[in-house]
Every structure is written in structure tokens, then in C-alpha cells.
Amino acid sequence: MTTTIFDSPLGLVRVTGDEAGVSAISCVDVSPDEAVSINLPQPLERAVTQLTEYFAGTRQIFDFLMNPAGTAFQQTVWKALLDVPFGNTLSYLALTRRIGDEKAIRAVAAANGKNPLWIVVPCHRIIGSDGSLTGYAGGLWRKKWLLEHERGGSGQLSLF
């Protein structure tokens, strides 16, 4: 596996994968001396380019090769997340209904939380039934920033 790190409006982003595809994207707190690969496999190179375009406001859809590891159920949930359009949100309950088993809401929420492809598989677009910004592995302030960014906001966080 190869790893690269780049700066974004939300802090440092780590992208990991190989020629088979990108397996993980996450926000990280690392020291500047962490090793970063120079010769990236094409899927990682494309991921960095496309994420940079996303942050610049010029990309809404990602088409690089992805290869996240997860159970069959997690893969089903992550595939359903890809159907939530840019700039929109969906409740956990509505996502669970789309998957076909309303009783699996806790399992769907857990799979959402295990999503290894931050931003690209848009788990940040899933909210509470009451519209609240419920948990996000990258922190609620990042979730809020991402949703505002996708709705055409400045990406600048408001204090109130």
C-alpha cells in the first residue's frame, strides 16, 4: 500500500491505496516528517487531483478507482451512500429504508461510521431525522463545513 498526504481546507488528508484502487481517505493529524510517496499509483494520483478539485468547488462526482475493504453489508451501505446527490442530505432512517430493512438502522449507522473513503463515499450527507448533524468521524465541524461547501457556501464556518 502507498500513502500520500496533502493539505486541504479541513486539514491534512491521507490517501492510501495501490493499483487496485484507493482503500482509505481520512483527515489526519501528522507530523510533517511522515513519509509521503512521490511516485503514486494512478488511482491515488487521480484521487488527490479530484479531491483538490472538490475543495476548489469544481468537482461533484468522483470517478477514480476505489477499493475499500468491508463486509458485504458495509459495502451495501457505502454503495447506497453514493446515491445521495451532491448538495443534498438524507436521514439515517431514509438511508435504511433505501437499503430495504428499516429495523437495521443501528447497523446502517455503524456501517456509515466505518466508511473508509471520507468525502468520496459521502457519509457526511447523512443526518438525523430531525435534521441534526449527528456523529461524524472527522468531527462535526468538518461535516458542517462539507455540507455548507456542497450547498454553495463559502466553506467558512459561522460562529452562530
Side-chain angles (χ1 to χ4, degrees):
M1 287 289 172
T2 302
T3 296
T4 190
I5 297 170
F6 70 97
D7 201 13
S8 81
L10 297 175
L12 296 173
V13 176
R14 176 186 287 141
V15 182
T16 303
D18 54 26
E19 290 296 339
V22 174
S23 58
I25 300 170
S26 61
C27 253
V28 293
D29 296 314
V30 294
S31 64
D33 41 286
E34 180 170 342
V36 176
S37 269
I38 307 270
N39 297 318
L40 297 177
Q42 184 183 20
L44 271 71
E45 190 174 307
R46 290 194 66 200
V48 170
T49 298
Q50 290 182 20
L51 283 162
T52 301
E53 293 167 351
Y54 169 87
F55 286 119
T58 60
R59 176 171 290 275
Q60 296 181 1
I61 297 171
F62 299 94
D63 60 8
F64 58 84
L65 189 58
M66 299 174 211
N67 190 22
T71 67
F73 181 77
Q74 288 171 332
Q75 297 279 347
T76 297
V77 172
W78 301 337
K79 187 173 187 312
L81 289 170
L82 292 171
D83 293 330
V84 182
F86 181 92
N88 291 277
T89 57
L90 191 70
S91 72
Y92 284 97
L93 183 57
L95 178 63
T96 303
R97 287 178 178 150
R98 282 188 181 186
I99 292 169
D101 185 1
E102 191 172 309
K103 294 178 184 174
I105 192 165
R106 290 178 193 259
V108 167
N112 192 54
K114 297 279 187 189
N115 170 23
L117 295 175
W118 179 67
I119 298 176
V120 176
V121 175
C123 56
H124 61 279
R125 296 180 190 154
I126 306 305
I127 59 173
S129 294
D130 62 358
S132 63
L133 299 183
T134 56
Y136 186 64
L140 288 179
W141 72 272
R142 285 189 177 107
K143 182 172 188 166
K144 181 179 178 184
W145 189 97
L146 291 166
L147 293 173
E148 287 178 359
H149 174 69
E150 291 185 4
R151 290 188 177 132
S154 65
Q156 300 230 341
L157 294 175
S158 60
L159 294 177
F160 304 100

